[in-house]
Amino acid sequence: MAVIGAGFGGIGMGVALKRAGFEDFVIFEKSADVGGVWRDNTYPGCNCDVPSHLYSFTFAPYRDRHIRYPGQRQILEYLRRVAVECDLMPHLRLGTAITAATYLEQQGRWELATATGRSVADVVVFAVGQLHRPYLPDIEGRTDFAGLSFHTAEWDHRHDLRGRDIAVIGTGSSAAQILPTLAAAAARVHLFQRTPHWVLPKPPAEFGPLARAGLSLPGAHHFYRQALDHGADALLAPIMRRGWSARPAAWLARRYLHRQVPDPALRAKLTPDYPIGGKRIIFDSHYYPTLNRPNVELVTEPVTGIVGDGLVTADGTCHRVDVIVYATGFRAPEFLVPVVVRGREGRVLHEQWRTGASAFFGLAVPGYPNAFLIAGPNSFNPAGSNPAMKERQIDYILDCLRLRDRLGAAAIEVDEEAMRAHRRWLDRAIAKTVWPITGPSWYKDRAGRVTNPWPASARTYERMLRNHRPVACFRAVSADTPYPRHGRPAPAVTRCSTPVASPAVS
Ligand code: N01
């Protein structure tokens, strides 16, 4: 078996395979380390706006009485530790980017190409995530800039930014997290905003003494995680569907803006004109206060060009800067690019997805037998924990593998009719959300189709997966060679249930 990617999805899949008794698998990772986005994003101030208890695997609960929200280093450390403690290191092929995956119909197997060779696998699991390829906007003159420039996900740590004039383009979660650190060091920060995002305050990153005492009680960590999980479903998920919590959340966000930003002109620029939840909500308590600093300027004139020493806006002003930081997000709707995926009868996945990326619960596509996705189309949870969503997908993929074994089939694939029914449900669910009536974001592809987020609660996802068992939705695909007998699932033997302690707070 081949798993592609060693972030939360790939590591979670690897551990699940081991626990189910599969040992014959390889995890290919393009970079030199595990961690996915938490390895790549090292920008100053990078942290997680989902509580650490929820942002961890259920089999390796992140139990800490100090850290409420983890920083980038803590999450990366956590993932490295899970990989080591769960004995995944021998399965990892680091520095190995898969460039193409081709289904060999005669054999019912996948051929995977790398820059240096080929491998063959019975099953392939794409766990490359949605936010791993930086997006750089196509602004005229971008390459003419003579100063330093980089994307938030490709931070260049060799340079001292103290006392510099810095432009930040974009005002999403990455920009919000980076701004306070930059503003404290830079001479001046020019923040270029195209659309204001909705912002809600975030509790302190560390627990207070009362919470710490509470968490020392037996079962408290588990109870807290459950409360967070159910709380996200009950409070945040309805916001995206204009449900009961949308108005209170919008009221809270406006009130928060009002309290944090005294200047009415600045407040007006920061007030979104689309429904809350239309783009991913920013949870941050340092962003708005930083915008009040005298060395921070919010520029709302569109950027029309970049010249050797700065950025030109539509009003003709040239904003002279030493550094440009692109906080412009990711090529999320492109999903598996640059891997060229070829399925049965010569179909090519990205050609098929030209009319919009789509997959059965974000994890399988008809015509691509024995191929699974983790965090595929419409399975990003904008209102909760994505590691938890991935665990649900991993459990389902394991059930598919068990079905394949039971059927004695070389390959199984999701049924066309099951996919069509799921698509109909998705279209109806998406129509009820705020995304179709909101402008562009990484939730949508260039044509405006909502391809990335899951349009309901995590609980609904779980329930629907339970109601759409593989036995009812997948079918055997014949191949000329018999089912390979190696790598059959055995009863669960390996466990990795040791709580993974977080490193000491630095
Ligand atoms: O990227 P984004 P991000 N001119 O796509 C602007 C996750 N994350 O890296 O809104 C000017 O949100 C664009 O403007 P507009 C999280 O899921 C999680 O910040 O399109 N501006 C927008 O403001 C998040 O959603 C954590 O009008 C341009 C910005 O760039 C996802 O990553 C932390 C432009 C892009 O915002 C992505 O966040 C950080 C142009 N030509 C990130 N082109 C956690 O804590 C684009 N923009 C878990």
Side-chain angles (χ1 to χ4, degrees), residues 170-172 175-176 179 191-200 250 252-274 276 279 282 286-293 296-300:
T171 52
L179 188 70
L191 178 65
F192 291 85
Q193 172 187 278
R194 193 164 61 179
T195 317
H197 284 235
W198 286 91
V199 180
L200 283 169
L252 190 69
R254 280 196 207 97
R255 182 163 160 271
Y256 175 62
L257 170 62
H258 206 269
R259 289 195 165 181
Q260 295 296 322
V261 180
D263 175 3
L266 181 57
R267 242 182 5 237
K269 287 180 180 177
L270 291 168
T271 305
D273 65 354
Y274 58 90
I276 188 165
K279 296 174 190 249
I282 295 173
H286 303 289
Y287 177 58
Y288 281 160
T290 306
L291 288 165
N292 296 322
R293 287 179 64 117
V296 175
E297 183 195 2
L298 182 73
V299 184
T300 51

Side-chain angles (χ1 to χ4, degrees), residues 38 43 47-49 131 135 137 139 169-175 177 194-195 197 279-280 327-330 380 440 442:
W38 298 105
Y43 58 80
N47 68 88
C48 186
D49 59 14
L131 299 164
Y135 166 71
I139 301 173
I169 306 180
T171 52
S173 306
S174 302
Q177 290 187 352
R194 193 164 61 179
T195 317
H197 284 235
K279 296 174 190 249
R280 190 176 182 277
T328 42
F330 299 87
F380 172 86
W442 69 265

